Amino acid sequence: DVKVTQSSRYLVKRTGEKVFLECVQDMDHENMFWYRQDPGLGLRLIYFSYDVKMKEKGDIPEGYSVSREKKERFSLILESASTNQTSMYLCASSSSTYGYTFGSGTRLTVV
Amino acid sequence: DAKTTQPPSMDCAEGRAANLPCNHSTISGNEYVYWYRQIHSQGPQYIIHGLKNNETNEMASLIITEDRKSSTLILPHATLRDTAVYYCIVRPLPSGGSYIPTFGRGTSLIVHP
């Protein structure tokens, strides 16, 4: 089974801190994605990557950056965390057949 | 990309079939219908996908209309653990390139005793 592992299940950070959310997949997928999910808003795409060192902005990239130095790892970076970035963050990777496989999510609280 | 429309919520009695509809009237010929579900506080989980034929697996059945403009996900004997948000999306195969499907708000299914 494909596994997508997110490094933290729950995270509490202070306003202004630099935050790293890590995601690792073990099935050699080319494509990886970061979403955030807020009540009533569904899943919104932040950034995605088709290959190592490649990245594309999604629908809501402001305040975020990403890094993909290795194929299996896709990191989401909050340069200066703000309270409006309190959310559930979901990482996913995709194959050609079974669509997306998601991680368990990281619930980030910025205080 | 094709958009999908789903009812925001549904409920179902435990042991009965849950039928979740999805409209995708602008679907293209090369786009597949995928269903995912998200149990509270977890990431979405793949359920099933299909192109134009009906599909069945251990989790569910997928019925796609002949004109492919709508589909229905069927959970034949719903259990309390099927309470979740169900997402219907369309996407072409194979993946990669520039196609990024949109996850809408899905249907919140509540299975009650």
Side-chain angles (χ1 to χ4, degrees), chain A residues 9 31 33 35 37 40-43 45 48 50 88 90 94-100 102-104 107, chain B residues 34 36 38 41-46 49 87 89 91 93-101 103-105:
Chain A
R9 191 82 174 92
N31 307 320
F33 309 85
Y35 291 86
Q37 186 173 33
L41 295 179
L43 286 121
L45 181 65
F48 58 99
Y50 294 125
M88 168 72 93
L90 289 157
S94 75
S95 73
S96 60
T97 304
Y98 292 107
Y100 289 76
F102 282 85
S104 298
R107 189 166 291 281
Chain B
Y34 278 77
Y36 293 80
Q38 186 175 23
S41 295
Q42 297 181 23
Q45 173 193 24
Y46 165 84
H49 74 283
Y87 296 97
I89 66 171
R91 55 167 284 182
L93 280 183
S95 70
S98 61
Y99 188 83
I100 303 295
F103 285 82
R105 299 184 186 183

mmCIF file of all heavy atoms in Angstrom, chain A residues 9 31 33 35 37 40-43 45 48 50 88 90 94-100 102-104 107, chain B residues 34 36 38 41-46 49 87 89 91 93-101 103-105:
data_model
loop_
_atom_site.group_PDB
_atom_site.id
_atom_site.type_symbol
_atom_site.label_atom_id
_atom_site.label_comp_id
_atom_site.label_asym_id
_atom_site.label_seq_id
_atom_site.Cartn_x
_atom_site.Cartn_y
_atom_site.Cartn_z
ATOM 1 N N ARG A 9 1.150 15.173 13.779
ATOM 2 C CA ARG A 9 -0.317 15.098 13.766
ATOM 3 C C ARG A 9 -0.921 16.403 14.294
ATOM 4 O O ARG A 9 -1.918 16.877 13.766
ATOM 5 C CB ARG A 9 -0.764 13.931 14.651
ATOM 6 C CG ARG A 9 -2.216 13.599 14.509
ATOM 7 C CD ARG A 9 -2.438 12.725 13.291
ATOM 8 N NE ARG A 9 -3.828 12.284 13.232
ATOM 9 C CZ ARG A 9 -4.779 12.934 12.569
ATOM 10 N NH1 ARG A 9 -4.507 14.051 11.935
ATOM 11 N NH2 ARG A 9 -6.015 12.473 12.551
ATOM 12 N N ASN A 31 4.032 13.077 -8.522
ATOM 13 C CA ASN A 31 3.230 14.242 -8.126
ATOM 14 C C ASN A 31 2.946 14.273 -6.637
ATOM 15 O O ASN A 31 2.550 13.272 -6.055
ATOM 16 C CB ASN A 31 1.892 14.227 -8.863
ATOM 17 C CG ASN A 31 2.068 14.091 -10.360
ATOM 18 O OD1 ASN A 31 2.952 14.683 -10.930
ATOM 19 N ND2 ASN A 31 1.219 13.294 -10.977
ATOM 20 N N PHE A 33 1.293 17.049 -3.437
ATOM 21 C CA PHE A 33 0.388 18.188 -3.259
ATOM 22 C C PHE A 33 0.283 18.563 -1.782
ATOM 23 O O PHE A 33 0.366 17.692 -0.910
ATOM 24 C CB PHE A 33 -1.023 17.816 -3.744
ATOM 25 C CG PHE A 33 -1.064 17.233 -5.133
ATOM 26 C CD1 PHE A 33 -0.837 15.878 -5.328
ATOM 27 C CD2 PHE A 33 -1.342 18.027 -6.223
ATOM 28 C CE1 PHE A 33 -0.869 15.322 -6.601
ATOM 29 C CE2 PHE A 33 -1.382 17.484 -7.499
ATOM 30 C CZ PHE A 33 -1.147 16.134 -7.684
ATOM 31 N N TYR A 35 -2.584 20.618 0.572
ATOM 32 C CA TYR A 35 -3.892 21.244 0.698
ATOM 33 C C TYR A 35 -4.050 21.753 2.127
ATOM 34 O O TYR A 35 -3.442 21.249 3.051
ATOM 35 C CB TYR A 35 -5.011 20.233 0.457
ATOM 36 C CG TYR A 35 -5.153 19.724 -0.955
ATOM 37 C CD1 TYR A 35 -4.408 18.645 -1.413
ATOM 38 C CD2 TYR A 35 -6.072 20.297 -1.825
ATOM 39 C CE1 TYR A 35 -4.563 18.166 -2.706
ATOM 40 C CE2 TYR A 35 -6.238 19.829 -3.123
ATOM 41 C CZ TYR A 35 -5.477 18.763 -3.550
ATOM 42 O OH TYR A 35 -5.636 18.282 -4.829
ATOM 43 N N GLN A 37 -7.453 22.529 4.779
ATOM 44 C CA GLN A 37 -8.882 22.267 4.897
ATOM 45 C C GLN A 37 -9.421 23.015 6.084
ATOM 46 O O GLN A 37 -8.942 22.849 7.213
ATOM 47 C CB GLN A 37 -9.153 20.766 5.046
ATOM 48 C CG GLN A 37 -10.627 20.419 5.039
ATOM 49 C CD GLN A 37 -10.853 18.935 5.018
ATOM 50 O OE1 GLN A 37 -10.098 18.157 5.578
ATOM 51 N NE2 GLN A 37 -11.910 18.511 4.329
ATOM 52 N N GLY A 40 -16.282 24.163 6.236
ATOM 53 C CA GLY A 40 -17.145 24.806 5.255
ATOM 54 C C GLY A 40 -16.481 25.200 3.961
ATOM 55 O O GLY A 40 -17.148 25.657 3.029
ATOM 56 N N LEU A 41 -15.159 25.006 3.861
ATOM 57 C CA LEU A 41 -14.442 25.448 2.653
ATOM 58 C C LEU A 41 -13.871 24.296 1.836
ATOM 59 O O LEU A 41 -13.278 24.508 0.788
ATOM 60 C CB LEU A 41 -13.311 26.410 3.035
ATOM 61 C CG LEU A 41 -13.753 27.732 3.653
ATOM 62 C CD1 LEU A 41 -12.544 28.589 4.014
ATOM 63 C CD2 LEU A 41 -14.672 28.505 2.704
ATOM 64 N N GLY A 42 -13.991 23.081 2.304
ATOM 65 C CA GLY A 42 -13.452 21.960 1.546
ATOM 66 C C GLY A 42 -11.941 21.976 1.512
ATOM 67 O O GLY A 42 -11.281 22.634 2.320
ATOM 68 N N LEU A 43 -11.382 21.247 0.557
ATOM 69 C CA LEU A 43 -9.927 21.184 0.403
ATOM 70 C C LEU A 43 -9.475 22.238 -0.596
ATOM 71 O O LEU A 43 -10.001 22.311 -1.706
ATOM 72 C CB LEU A 43 -9.508 19.805 -0.116
ATOM 73 C CG LEU A 43 -9.575 18.696 0.901
ATOM 74 C CD1 LEU A 43 -10.510 17.607 0.452
ATOM 75 C CD2 LEU A 43 -8.194 18.127 1.120
ATOM 76 N N LEU A 45 -6.138 23.855 -2.625
ATOM 77 C CA LEU A 45 -4.775 23.506 -3.025
ATOM 78 C C LEU A 45 -3.833 24.674 -2.786
ATOM 79 O O LEU A 45 -4.072 25.792 -3.263
ATOM 80 C CB LEU A 45 -4.775 23.106 -4.500
ATOM 81 C CG LEU A 45 -3.448 22.678 -5.090
ATOM 82 C CD1 LEU A 45 -2.965 21.382 -4.430
ATOM 83 C CD2 LEU A 45 -3.588 22.468 -6.602
ATOM 84 N N PHE A 48 1.705 22.428 -5.532
ATOM 85 C CA PHE A 48 1.939 21.066 -5.963
ATOM 86 C C PHE A 48 3.266 20.978 -6.699
ATOM 87 O O PHE A 48 3.852 22.001 -7.074
ATOM 88 C CB PHE A 48 0.777 20.527 -6.797
ATOM 89 C CG PHE A 48 0.464 21.331 -8.026
ATOM 90 C CD1 PHE A 48 0.923 20.940 -9.263
ATOM 91 C CD2 PHE A 48 -0.357 22.450 -7.942
ATOM 92 C CE1 PHE A 48 0.602 21.666 -10.402
ATOM 93 C CE2 PHE A 48 -0.682 23.182 -9.072
ATOM 94 C CZ PHE A 48 -0.202 22.789 -10.308
ATOM 95 N N TYR A 50 5.439 18.436 -9.651
ATOM 96 C CA TYR A 50 5.427 17.322 -10.608
ATOM 97 C C TYR A 50 6.717 16.528 -10.593
ATOM 98 O O TYR A 50 6.785 15.443 -11.156
ATOM 99 C CB TYR A 50 5.198 17.834 -12.030
ATOM 100 C CG TYR A 50 3.852 18.433 -12.242
ATOM 101 C CD1 TYR A 50 3.714 19.722 -12.735
ATOM 102 C CD2 TYR A 50 2.709 17.716 -11.941
ATOM 103 C CE1 TYR A 50 2.460 20.274 -12.934
ATOM 104 C CE2 TYR A 50 1.457 18.260 -12.137
ATOM 105 C CZ TYR A 50 1.342 19.540 -12.634
ATOM 106 O OH TYR A 50 0.110 20.079 -12.821
ATOM 107 N N MET A 88 -6.156 22.582 9.131
ATOM 108 C CA MET A 88 -5.696 21.212 8.898
ATOM 109 C C MET A 88 -4.956 21.212 7.569
ATOM 110 O O MET A 88 -5.496 21.678 6.559
ATOM 111 C CB MET A 88 -6.893 20.262 8.832
ATOM 112 C CG MET A 88 -6.543 18.874 8.304
ATOM 113 S SD MET A 88 -5.587 17.895 9.473
ATOM 114 C CE MET A 88 -6.917 17.025 10.301
ATOM 115 N N LEU A 90 -3.114 18.939 4.650
ATOM 116 C CA LEU A 90 -3.100 17.585 4.104
ATOM 117 C C LEU A 90 -2.122 17.498 2.947
ATOM 118 O O LEU A 90 -2.162 18.321 2.031
ATOM 119 C CB LEU A 90 -4.501 17.200 3.624
ATOM 120 C CG LEU A 90 -5.513 16.954 4.732
ATOM 121 C CD1 LEU A 90 -6.926 17.136 4.216
ATOM 122 C CD2 LEU A 90 -5.350 15.568 5.310
ATOM 123 N N SER A 94 0.143 11.311 -5.972
ATOM 124 C CA SER A 94 -0.788 10.703 -6.914
ATOM 125 C C SER A 94 -0.088 9.748 -7.857
ATOM 126 O O SER A 94 1.064 9.922 -8.242
ATOM 127 C CB SER A 94 -1.544 11.763 -7.712
ATOM 128 O OG SER A 94 -0.732 12.342 -8.691
ATOM 129 N N SER A 95 -0.878 8.727 -8.227
ATOM 130 C CA SER A 95 -0.466 7.746 -9.224
ATOM 131 C C SER A 95 -1.396 7.872 -10.419
ATOM 132 O O SER A 95 -2.386 8.590 -10.378
ATOM 133 C CB SER A 95 -0.559 6.341 -8.645
ATOM 134 O OG SER A 95 -1.911 5.970 -8.529
ATOM 135 N N SER A 96 -1.091 7.119 -11.459
ATOM 136 C CA SER A 96 -1.912 7.208 -12.664
ATOM 137 C C SER A 96 -3.201 6.420 -12.535
ATOM 138 O O SER A 96 -4.124 6.610 -13.292
ATOM 139 C CB SER A 96 -1.137 6.700 -13.878
ATOM 140 O OG SER A 96 -0.762 5.358 -13.684
ATOM 141 N N THR A 97 -3.280 5.531 -11.564
ATOM 142 C CA THR A 97 -4.436 4.647 -11.488
ATOM 143 C C THR A 97 -5.374 4.984 -10.342
ATOM 144 O O THR A 97 -6.561 5.156 -10.534
ATOM 145 C CB THR A 97 -3.984 3.185 -11.343
ATOM 146 O OG1 THR A 97 -3.121 2.856 -12.413
ATOM 147 C CG2 THR A 97 -5.178 2.247 -11.326
ATOM 148 N N TYR A 98 -4.843 5.083 -9.148
ATOM 149 C CA TYR A 98 -5.709 5.215 -7.983
ATOM 150 C C TYR A 98 -5.817 6.636 -7.488
ATOM 151 O O TYR A 98 -6.243 6.870 -6.381
ATOM 152 C CB TYR A 98 -5.244 4.276 -6.871
ATOM 153 C CG TYR A 98 -5.464 2.835 -7.251
ATOM 154 C CD1 TYR A 98 -4.401 2.024 -7.586
ATOM 155 C CD2 TYR A 98 -6.753 2.311 -7.307
ATOM 156 C CE1 TYR A 98 -4.614 0.711 -7.958
ATOM 157 C CE2 TYR A 98 -6.965 1.004 -7.687
ATOM 158 C CZ TYR A 98 -5.897 0.215 -8.014
ATOM 159 O OH TYR A 98 -6.105 -1.084 -8.386
ATOM 160 N N GLY A 99 -5.463 7.573 -8.327
ATOM 161 C CA GLY A 99 -5.666 8.954 -7.953
ATOM 162 C C GLY A 99 -4.797 9.334 -6.779
ATOM 163 O O GLY A 99 -3.623 9.007 -6.717
ATOM 164 N N TYR A 100 -5.372 10.016 -5.850
ATOM 165 C CA TYR A 100 -4.622 10.569 -4.744
ATOM 166 C C TYR A 100 -4.570 9.616 -3.557
ATOM 167 O O TYR A 100 -5.540 8.955 -3.233
ATOM 168 C CB TYR A 100 -5.288 11.851 -4.257
ATOM 169 C CG TYR A 100 -5.157 13.013 -5.204
ATOM 170 C CD1 TYR A 100 -5.927 13.087 -6.351
ATOM 171 C CD2 TYR A 100 -4.267 14.044 -4.922
ATOM 172 C CE1 TYR A 100 -5.809 14.166 -7.203
ATOM 173 C CE2 TYR A 100 -4.154 15.123 -5.776
ATOM 174 C CZ TYR A 100 -4.927 15.178 -6.906
ATOM 175 O OH TYR A 100 -4.807 16.241 -7.743
ATOM 176 N N PHE A 102 -3.717 10.305 0.431
ATOM 177 C CA PHE A 102 -3.503 11.399 1.372
ATOM 178 C C PHE A 102 -2.819 10.915 2.637
ATOM 179 O O PHE A 102 -2.966 9.763 3.054
ATOM 180 C CB PHE A 102 -4.856 12.008 1.767
ATOM 181 C CG PHE A 102 -5.442 12.916 0.733
ATOM 182 C CD1 PHE A 102 -6.198 12.394 -0.298
ATOM 183 C CD2 PHE A 102 -5.245 14.281 0.797
ATOM 184 C CE1 PHE A 102 -6.749 13.223 -1.259
ATOM 185 C CE2 PHE A 102 -5.792 15.124 -0.157
ATOM 186 C CZ PHE A 102 -6.545 14.586 -1.186
ATOM 187 N N GLY A 103 -2.101 11.822 3.254
ATOM 188 C CA GLY A 103 -1.596 11.586 4.593
ATOM 189 C C GLY A 103 -2.707 11.800 5.607
ATOM 190 O O GLY A 103 -3.834 12.150 5.255
ATOM 191 N N SER A 104 -2.390 11.593 6.876
ATOM 192 C CA SER A 104 -3.384 11.707 7.943
ATOM 193 C C SER A 104 -3.664 13.148 8.337
ATOM 194 O O SER A 104 -4.607 13.416 9.069
ATOM 195 C CB SER A 104 -2.934 10.931 9.175
ATOM 196 O OG SER A 104 -2.816 9.562 8.862
ATOM 197 N N ARG A 107 -2.750 19.051 12.094
ATOM 198 C CA ARG A 107 -3.595 20.142 12.571
ATOM 199 C C ARG A 107 -2.700 21.187 13.211
ATOM 200 O O ARG A 107 -2.125 20.958 14.270
ATOM 201 C CB ARG A 107 -4.628 19.627 13.568
ATOM 202 C CG ARG A 107 -5.658 20.689 13.926
ATOM 203 C CD ARG A 107 -6.859 20.103 14.641
ATOM 204 N NE ARG A 107 -7.680 19.257 13.795
ATOM 205 C CZ ARG A 107 -8.565 19.690 12.907
ATOM 206 N NH1 ARG A 107 -8.746 20.987 12.734
ATOM 207 N NH2 ARG A 107 -9.286 18.843 12.214
ATOM 208 N N TYR B 34 -14.024 9.733 -9.914
ATOM 209 C CA TYR B 34 -13.404 9.187 -8.723
ATOM 210 C C TYR B 34 -14.236 9.558 -7.492
ATOM 211 O O TYR B 34 -14.804 10.645 -7.418
ATOM 212 C CB TYR B 34 -12.004 9.784 -8.515
ATOM 213 C CG TYR B 34 -10.914 9.149 -9.318
ATOM 214 C CD1 TYR B 34 -10.766 9.419 -10.671
ATOM 215 C CD2 TYR B 34 -10.009 8.286 -8.703
ATOM 216 C CE1 TYR B 34 -9.749 8.825 -11.402
ATOM 217 C CE2 TYR B 34 -8.983 7.697 -9.425
ATOM 218 C CZ TYR B 34 -8.851 7.976 -10.776
ATOM 219 O OH TYR B 34 -7.848 7.393 -11.489
ATOM 220 N N TYR B 36 -13.903 9.670 -3.205
ATOM 221 C CA TYR B 36 -13.095 9.577 -1.999
ATOM 222 C C TYR B 36 -14.008 9.819 -0.795
ATOM 223 O O TYR B 36 -15.076 10.407 -0.926
ATOM 224 C CB TYR B 36 -12.008 10.665 -1.977
ATOM 225 C CG TYR B 36 -10.952 10.523 -3.029
ATOM 226 C CD1 TYR B 36 -11.183 10.948 -4.335
ATOM 227 C CD2 TYR B 36 -9.720 9.966 -2.719
ATOM 228 C CE1 TYR B 36 -10.210 10.817 -5.309
ATOM 229 C CE2 TYR B 36 -8.732 9.835 -3.694
ATOM 230 C CZ TYR B 36 -8.992 10.264 -4.979
ATOM 231 O OH TYR B 36 -8.028 10.129 -5.940
ATOM 232 N N GLN B 38 -13.767 11.073 3.521
ATOM 233 C CA GLN B 38 -12.935 11.606 4.582
ATOM 234 C C GLN B 38 -13.672 11.442 5.902
ATOM 235 O O GLN B 38 -14.695 12.090 6.135
ATOM 236 C CB GLN B 38 -12.597 13.068 4.328
ATOM 237 C CG GLN B 38 -11.614 13.635 5.338
ATOM 238 C CD GLN B 38 -11.205 15.051 5.000
ATOM 239 O OE1 GLN B 38 -11.918 15.767 4.305
ATOM 240 N NE2 GLN B 38 -10.044 15.466 5.508
ATOM 241 N N SER B 41 -11.225 14.088 10.915
ATOM 242 C CA SER B 41 -9.840 14.261 11.377
ATOM 243 C C SER B 41 -8.846 13.328 10.696
ATOM 244 O O SER B 41 -7.737 13.143 11.199
ATOM 245 C CB SER B 41 -9.754 14.077 12.899
ATOM 246 O OG SER B 41 -10.470 15.087 13.544
ATOM 247 N N GLN B 42 -9.234 12.743 9.573
ATOM 248 C CA GLN B 42 -8.281 11.945 8.798
ATOM 249 C C GLN B 42 -8.180 12.505 7.382
ATOM 250 O O GLN B 42 -9.014 13.305 6.959
ATOM 251 C CB GLN B 42 -8.729 10.486 8.732
ATOM 252 C CG GLN B 42 -8.778 9.806 10.076
ATOM 253 C CD GLN B 42 -9.194 8.355 9.950
ATOM 254 O OE1 GLN B 42 -9.045 7.737 8.899
ATOM 255 N NE2 GLN B 42 -9.704 7.785 11.026
ATOM 256 N N GLY B 43 -7.167 12.067 6.623
ATOM 257 C CA GLY B 43 -7.062 12.455 5.227
ATOM 258 C C GLY B 43 -8.076 11.703 4.382
ATOM 259 O O GLY B 43 -8.516 10.605 4.741
ATOM 260 N N PRO B 44 -8.479 12.265 3.237
ATOM 261 C CA PRO B 44 -9.400 11.556 2.341
ATOM 262 C C PRO B 44 -8.820 10.217 1.891
ATOM 263 O O PRO B 44 -7.613 10.059 1.738
ATOM 264 C CB PRO B 44 -9.548 12.521 1.164
ATOM 265 C CG PRO B 44 -9.260 13.871 1.737
ATOM 266 C CD PRO B 44 -8.200 13.625 2.762
ATOM 267 N N GLN B 45 -9.720 9.270 1.669
ATOM 268 C CA GLN B 45 -9.351 7.904 1.314
ATOM 269 C C GLN B 45 -10.012 7.548 -0.008
ATOM 270 O O GLN B 45 -11.210 7.790 -0.181
ATOM 271 C CB GLN B 45 -9.824 6.960 2.420
ATOM 272 C CG GLN B 45 -9.665 5.491 2.126
ATOM 273 C CD GLN B 45 -10.433 4.620 3.115
ATOM 274 O OE1 GLN B 45 -11.402 5.070 3.727
ATOM 275 N NE2 GLN B 45 -10.016 3.387 3.263
ATOM 276 N N TYR B 46 -9.242 6.973 -0.925
ATOM 277 C CA TYR B 46 -9.787 6.541 -2.200
ATOM 278 C C TYR B 46 -10.835 5.439 -1.988
ATOM 279 O O TYR B 46 -10.650 4.519 -1.171
ATOM 280 C CB TYR B 46 -8.655 6.012 -3.086
ATOM 281 C CG TYR B 46 -9.099 5.207 -4.288
ATOM 282 C CD1 TYR B 46 -9.472 5.836 -5.468
ATOM 283 C CD2 TYR B 46 -9.149 3.820 -4.238
ATOM 284 C CE1 TYR B 46 -9.875 5.109 -6.569
ATOM 285 C CE2 TYR B 46 -9.555 3.081 -5.334
ATOM 286 C CZ TYR B 46 -9.908 3.728 -6.499
ATOM 287 O OH TYR B 46 -10.316 2.992 -7.586
ATOM 288 N N HIS B 49 -13.246 4.204 -8.667
ATOM 289 C CA HIS B 49 -13.315 5.087 -9.818
ATOM 290 C C HIS B 49 -13.849 4.323 -11.019
ATOM 291 O O HIS B 49 -13.821 3.079 -11.042
ATOM 292 C CB HIS B 49 -11.959 5.728 -10.131
ATOM 293 C CG HIS B 49 -10.958 4.803 -10.763
ATOM 294 N ND1 HIS B 49 -10.261 3.852 -10.046
ATOM 295 C CD2 HIS B 49 -10.518 4.700 -12.031
ATOM 296 C CE1 HIS B 49 -9.436 3.206 -10.844
ATOM 297 N NE2 HIS B 49 -9.575 3.695 -12.066
ATOM 298 N N TYR B 87 -16.469 12.731 -1.394
ATOM 299 C CA TYR B 87 -16.126 13.640 -2.484
ATOM 300 C C TYR B 87 -16.179 12.914 -3.816
ATOM 301 O O TYR B 87 -15.636 11.818 -3.962
ATOM 302 C CB TYR B 87 -14.703 14.181 -2.305
ATOM 303 C CG TYR B 87 -14.487 15.029 -1.081
ATOM 304 C CD1 TYR B 87 -13.953 14.490 0.082
ATOM 305 C CD2 TYR B 87 -14.795 16.380 -1.095
ATOM 306 C CE1 TYR B 87 -13.734 15.267 1.206
ATOM 307 C CE2 TYR B 87 -14.583 17.175 0.024
ATOM 308 C CZ TYR B 87 -14.056 16.608 1.171
ATOM 309 O OH TYR B 87 -13.845 17.387 2.280
ATOM 310 N N ILE B 89 -14.999 13.531 -7.711
ATOM 311 C CA ILE B 89 -14.195 14.388 -8.575
ATOM 312 C C ILE B 89 -14.029 13.715 -9.932
ATOM 313 O O ILE B 89 -14.248 12.496 -10.055
ATOM 314 C CB ILE B 89 -12.810 14.711 -7.978
ATOM 315 C CG1 ILE B 89 -11.946 13.447 -7.884
ATOM 316 C CG2 ILE B 89 -12.939 15.364 -6.608
ATOM 317 C CD1 ILE B 89 -10.516 13.744 -7.515
ATOM 318 N N ARG B 91 -11.305 13.404 -13.294
ATOM 319 C CA ARG B 91 -9.939 13.644 -13.722
ATOM 320 C C ARG B 91 -9.610 12.693 -14.860
ATOM 321 O O ARG B 91 -10.135 11.589 -14.939
ATOM 322 C CB ARG B 91 -8.958 13.430 -12.571
ATOM 323 C CG ARG B 91 -9.056 12.074 -11.922
ATOM 324 C CD ARG B 91 -7.909 11.789 -11.022
ATOM 325 N NE ARG B 91 -6.718 11.455 -11.781
ATOM 326 C CZ ARG B 91 -5.565 11.116 -11.222
ATOM 327 N NH1 ARG B 91 -5.433 11.104 -9.926
ATOM 328 N NH2 ARG B 91 -4.524 10.822 -11.969
ATOM 329 N N LEU B 93 -7.038 10.147 -17.048
ATOM 330 C CA LEU B 93 -5.920 9.234 -16.826
ATOM 331 C C LEU B 93 -5.015 9.268 -18.047
ATOM 332 O O LEU B 93 -5.521 9.382 -19.162
ATOM 333 C CB LEU B 93 -6.407 7.802 -16.612
ATOM 334 C CG LEU B 93 -6.922 7.443 -15.232
ATOM 335 C CD1 LEU B 93 -7.297 5.970 -15.196
ATOM 336 C CD2 LEU B 93 -5.910 7.735 -14.159
ATOM 337 N N PRO B 94 -3.723 9.089 -17.955
ATOM 338 C CA PRO B 94 -2.972 9.037 -16.703
ATOM 339 C C PRO B 94 -2.800 10.405 -16.092
ATOM 340 O O PRO B 94 -3.072 11.405 -16.716
ATOM 341 C CB PRO B 94 -1.618 8.471 -17.140
ATOM 342 C CG PRO B 94 -1.475 8.912 -18.558
ATOM 343 C CD PRO B 94 -2.856 8.944 -19.121
ATOM 344 N N SER B 95 -2.300 10.434 -14.875
ATOM 345 C CA SER B 95 -2.130 11.697 -14.157
ATOM 346 C C SER B 95 -0.831 12.343 -14.586
ATOM 347 O O SER B 95 -0.133 11.878 -15.459
ATOM 348 C CB SER B 95 -2.131 11.482 -12.653
ATOM 349 O OG SER B 95 -0.949 10.809 -12.269
ATOM 350 N N GLY B 96 -0.483 13.398 -13.905
ATOM 351 C CA GLY B 96 0.718 14.135 -14.276
ATOM 352 C C GLY B 96 0.348 15.286 -15.185
ATOM 353 O O GLY B 96 -0.813 15.488 -15.517
ATOM 354 N N GLY B 97 1.326 16.071 -15.569
ATOM 355 C CA GLY B 97 1.039 17.222 -16.417
ATOM 356 C C GLY B 97 0.311 18.279 -15.638
ATOM 357 O O GLY B 97 0.554 18.460 -14.455
ATOM 358 N N SER B 98 -0.597 18.967 -16.262
ATOM 359 C CA SER B 98 -1.153 20.157 -15.652
ATOM 360 C C SER B 98 -2.531 19.960 -15.029
ATOM 361 O O SER B 98 -3.138 20.906 -14.584
ATOM 362 C CB SER B 98 -1.245 21.261 -16.701
ATOM 363 O OG SER B 98 -2.095 20.837 -17.756
ATOM 364 N N TYR B 99 -3.051 18.740 -14.991
ATOM 365 C CA TYR B 99 -4.416 18.580 -14.519
ATOM 366 C C TYR B 99 -4.456 18.443 -13.011
ATOM 367 O O TYR B 99 -3.893 17.518 -12.437
ATOM 368 C CB TYR B 99 -5.082 17.373 -15.175
ATOM 369 C CG TYR B 99 -6.539 17.326 -14.851
ATOM 370 C CD1 TYR B 99 -7.460 18.079 -15.569
ATOM 371 C CD2 TYR B 99 -7.009 16.581 -13.784
ATOM 372 C CE1 TYR B 99 -8.791 18.063 -15.253
ATOM 373 C CE2 TYR B 99 -8.345 16.566 -13.456
ATOM 374 C CZ TYR B 99 -9.237 17.306 -14.201
ATOM 375 O OH TYR B 99 -10.569 17.293 -13.889
ATOM 376 N N ILE B 100 -5.160 19.334 -12.375
ATOM 377 C CA ILE B 100 -5.351 19.269 -10.929
ATOM 378 C C ILE B 100 -6.845 19.303 -10.673
ATOM 379 O O ILE B 100 -7.498 20.306 -10.911
ATOM 380 C CB ILE B 100 -4.690 20.457 -10.212
ATOM 381 C CG1 ILE B 100 -3.201 20.509 -10.542
ATOM 382 C CG2 ILE B 100 -4.906 20.344 -8.702
ATOM 383 C CD1 ILE B 100 -2.412 19.323 -10.031
ATOM 384 N N PRO B 101 -7.437 18.214 -10.196
ATOM 385 C CA PRO B 101 -8.875 18.223 -9.962
ATOM 386 C C PRO B 101 -9.243 19.050 -8.750
ATOM 387 O O PRO B 101 -8.409 19.314 -7.888
ATOM 388 C CB PRO B 101 -9.186 16.745 -9.715
ATOM 389 C CG PRO B 101 -7.918 16.194 -9.173
ATOM 390 C CD PRO B 101 -6.810 16.953 -9.834
ATOM 391 N N PHE B 103 -11.454 19.463 -5.397
ATOM 392 C CA PHE B 103 -12.280 18.833 -4.379
ATOM 393 C C PHE B 103 -13.280 19.873 -3.903
ATOM 394 O O PHE B 103 -12.890 20.888 -3.366
ATOM 395 C CB PHE B 103 -11.438 18.372 -3.184
ATOM 396 C CG PHE B 103 -10.632 17.140 -3.447
ATOM 397 C CD1 PHE B 103 -9.419 17.204 -4.098
ATOM 398 C CD2 PHE B 103 -11.096 15.901 -3.035
ATOM 399 C CE1 PHE B 103 -8.675 16.063 -4.344
ATOM 400 C CE2 PHE B 103 -10.355 14.754 -3.275
ATOM 401 C CZ PHE B 103 -9.147 14.833 -3.932
ATOM 402 N N GLY B 104 -14.546 19.624 -4.130
ATOM 403 C CA GLY B 104 -15.560 20.549 -3.630
ATOM 404 C C GLY B 104 -15.807 20.319 -2.156
ATOM 405 O O GLY B 104 -14.924 19.862 -1.433
ATOM 406 N N ARG B 105 -17.001 20.627 -1.717
ATOM 407 C CA ARG B 105 -17.314 20.455 -0.296
ATOM 408 C C ARG B 105 -17.859 19.076 0.014
ATOM 409 O O ARG B 105 -18.014 18.705 1.165
ATOM 410 C CB ARG B 105 -18.306 21.527 0.155
ATOM 411 C CG ARG B 105 -17.742 22.914 -0.015
ATOM 412 C CD ARG B 105 -18.667 23.976 0.524
ATOM 413 N NE ARG B 105 -18.158 25.313 0.204
ATOM 414 C CZ ARG B 105 -18.720 26.424 0.603
ATOM 415 N NH1 ARG B 105 -19.793 26.398 1.335
ATOM 416 N NH2 ARG B 105 -18.194 27.592 0.269
#
